[in-house]
Amino acid sequence: MGGPIDKSRKAIKKEQHDSSPPVAEFEGPQSHLGAGAGKGVLGTHVPLLKEQQETEAERGHPVKLEVHPAQAANKRPRAGQPGSSVPPEDVHTVEEGGREVKLPLEVGTFMECEWKQGQYHRAKVIERRKRSDAPDYEYYVHYINFNRRMDAWTTLDHVDLATVATSEAELSAVVTESGGRTRNQKRKIEDVHEEEEHHGEFDQNALREHEEFTKVKNVERIELGRYEMETWYFSPLPQEYNMCKMLYFCEYDLMFFKERQQMLQHLKRSRIQHPPGDEIYRNANVSMFEIDGKKEKLFCQNLCYLAKLFLDHKTLFYDVDLFLFYVLCECDERGAHVVGYFSKEKSSEDGYNLACILTLPPYQRKGYGKFLISISYELSKIENKVGTPERPLSDLGLVSYRGYWTRELLKVLKDYQGTISLKELSEMTAIKVEDVVSTLQHLNLIQYQKGQHVICAARKLIERNLKEAGSAGLAVDPSKIVWTPYHAEREYANYRG
């Protein structure tokens, strides 16, 4: 998501739209953002069928099967690409702060790098490449203690060469010796540190391997409809789209192009102004479409590519056939514009009602993330099932879900007369019993007495906790849902004719 500068953390409307990014309303997965690990479909690779290859060619996409990030990482880099070797004539030294510094800086070098408004923060060089507009190099840096989405390309103009070091310990010593930052500067920087996301789906070796393959964002910015957005993470796009400064997405079918003119020509030929699939919800200017990954493979593949630019550490899954995608849109006279989505397995043995979730940066902080969580449970109620998000949840994802569970459970308890069991509470809210128990325990509203859980909820305590849970965001009107649950046997019968 850009270098630690404000614009890297927000979507920029063409009219200078100014919206700060949450780490996703489902912060952590939404942006967070995926809810669980395991079978998430982010970064999905789908082998193209012959007819899909023809469609790709017609729409301006080179037809090429995907390259896994691990394979792409092993390819020899081209000149000017990250990882290129340095010609001997480019190597030289400069004197800075009484020290000789060898340029270009090596990968793995530590130094202080300008973050914003003249403030410097400790950073590590992750990659380097020859600049196309100047004779020197630019560096892809990770700002220490910041989320990876803050990583960005920078130039020597923004590097304090007097602090260059080979290790973080040496950097600390150099900064201390030079007096370091003022207390005020330190406080300002500490205020913007992001809480590190929890990546429970990876063991340490897998996590290191994942971060190595995805260490450099391969697309810097995208255009989707009237918004331009700085990307946050690597997405396993086809190789020919790697290292694009800008990628242009059609806002209706999510086909993507290197050139804006290609995208505009595609738009002229396009006959649809909304996502494919069935519209299952419409209330004022908000719509939701259900899309079967088996029936609309190309759209769902493109959605996964787009989502992966804003979600980190999701297990790659190589088939969208087994998933349903629920795409949320804002509607106007120009059509339906993608706001976010969630996906879920068609048949989950674990009772998951949500796999991945994302609200795009321009639409965050508007209650859409809470809407997506809420409607996933409304669909579970129609199915007469209890649901739960795919595990593990990120720390911020747990906060988002716990807020929803708190509001729903306490609304029932607040007005309920008489006794109620945990199972009844679960059935009334479609929230899994384990989530009911963990939420009430977190609120100190449940006790374990004589071998069973007993809810102890005074009215004043309920009202206080409801207030602390915050707003429900954009409300779902269940009466506006027009939806039939997916039925595998019925689909098979239709297929057989």
Side-chain angles (χ1 to χ4, degrees), residues 242-259:
N242 280 346
M243 308 317 297
C244 285
K245 287 189 177 295
M246 177 77 84
L247 206 56
Y248 300 88
F249 280 81
C250 170
E251 61 179 329
Y252 302 121
D253 61 15
L254 301 185
M255 297 293 287
F256 47 90
F257 305 86
K258 289 183 178 180
E259 302 294 336

Side-chain angles (χ1 to χ4, degrees), residues 9-289:
R9 303 187 55 213
K10 61 189 175 186
I12 304 173
K13 194 174 178 179
K14 293 194 177 96
E15 307 97 310
Q16 297 301 312
H17 172 78
D18 183 33
S19 84
S20 61
V23 188
E25 228 151 39
F26 176 111
E27 304 200 336
Q30 257 181 258
S31 236
H32 46 51
L33 281 198
K39 300 171 184 172
V41 291
L42 296 178
T44 302
H45 300 273
V46 182
L48 300 180
L49 303 177
K50 182 177 180 181
E51 57 270 24
Q52 291 173 307
Q53 293 177 350
E54 293 171 353
T55 302
E56 284 273 68
E58 290 171 1
R59 297 184 178 184
H61 284 263
V63 178
K64 189 172 184 179
L65 295 182
E66 313 304 340
V67 180
H68 189 278
Q71 298 171 320
N74 291 329
K75 289 181 176 290
R76 177 182 291 274
R78 300 186 299 276
Q81 296 293 316
S84 300
S85 58
V86 178
E89 60 270 20
D90 288 351
V91 179
H92 61 286
T93 59
V94 297
E95 186 171 335
E96 192 73 32
R99 305 170 64 223
E100 283 195 349
V101 179
K102 180 181 176 182
L103 297 178
L105 298 175
E106 296 287 345
V107 171
T109 297
F110 290 83
M111 71 283 185
E112 292 228 321
C113 187
E114 187 176 3
W115 183 59
K116 66 175 182 178
Q117 298 176 346
Q119 296 177 354
Y120 281 74
H121 189 72
R122 299 181 186 191
K124 179 182 179 181
V125 176
I126 301 298
E127 196 54 274
R128 67 185 178 190
R129 68 185 179 191
K130 193 77 175 282
R131 294 176 63 180
S132 59
D133 58 346
D136 57 349
Y137 284 73
E138 58 183 348
Y139 303 90
Y140 193 78
V141 299
H142 169 68
Y143 292 84
I144 297 170
N145 295 328
F146 282 82
N147 188 283
R148 286 206 312 154
R149 71 173 180 273
M150 295 299 190
D151 297 358
W153 289 101
T154 190
T155 60
L156 290 180
D157 297 340
H158 303 284
V159 173
D160 184 356
L161 291 177
T163 63
V164 169
T166 57
S167 69
E168 191 171 357
E170 182 185 346
L171 174 59
S172 297
V174 171
V175 171
T176 301
E177 182 180 340
S178 63
R181 294 183 298 270
T182 67
R183 180 178 301 178
N184 186 47
Q185 285 177 310
K186 288 182 180 179
R187 181 175 296 123
K188 286 181 180 178
I189 288 179
E190 287 164 1
D191 287 344
V192 295
H193 282 186
E194 297 289 347
E195 182 176 354
E196 286 297 316
E197 293 182 24
H198 173 66
H199 306 302
E201 68 265 39
F202 289 98
D203 59 32
Q204 288 303 309
N205 289 333
L207 181 60
R208 283 194 296 270
E209 183 179 356
H210 171 86
E211 291 185 344
E212 174 63 26
F213 292 148
T214 64
K215 63 183 179 181
V216 178
K217 286 180 284 192
N218 49 343
V219 176
E220 294 183 19
R221 300 173 68 84
I222 66 166
E223 180 182 302
L224 179 67
R226 57 179 177 162
Y227 293 105
E228 288 183 8
M229 293 166 254
E230 292 202 4
T231 61
W232 294 357
Y233 301 108
F234 172 94
S235 179
L237 294 157
Q239 187 69 16
E240 56 268 26
Y241 295 95
N242 280 346
M243 308 317 297
C244 285
K245 287 189 177 295
M246 177 77 84
L247 206 56
Y248 300 88
F249 280 81
C250 170
E251 61 179 329
Y252 302 121
D253 61 15
L254 301 185
M255 297 293 287
F256 47 90
F257 305 86
K258 289 183 178 180
E259 302 294 336
R260 193 168 193 271
Q261 189 59 37
Q262 291 178 322
M263 185 270 291
L264 293 176
Q265 290 174 354
H266 168 75
L267 267 178
K268 290 180 181 178
R269 296 195 299 268
S270 179
R271 297 181 180 179
I272 64 170
Q273 291 183 306
H274 57 78
D278 300 322
E279 185 176 18
I280 65 169
Y281 183 87
R282 171 71 73 92
N283 189 9
N285 69 328
V286 175
S287 288
M288 175 163 278
F289 294 81

Side-chain angles (χ1 to χ4, degrees), residues 424-459:
E424 289 172 331
L425 195 52
S426 171
E427 291 172 348
M428 293 172 69
T429 59
I431 299 172
K432 198 172 182 180
V433 170
E434 289 82 352
D435 296 331
V436 173
V437 172
S438 68
T439 302
L440 295 179
Q441 286 177 335
H442 177 74
L443 299 172
N444 293 319
L445 296 178
I446 193 170
Q447 297 179 3
Y448 195 70
Q449 300 176 358
K450 298 180 180 180
Q452 63 180 355
H453 288 100
V454 178
I455 299 173
C456 305
R459 188 174 185 83

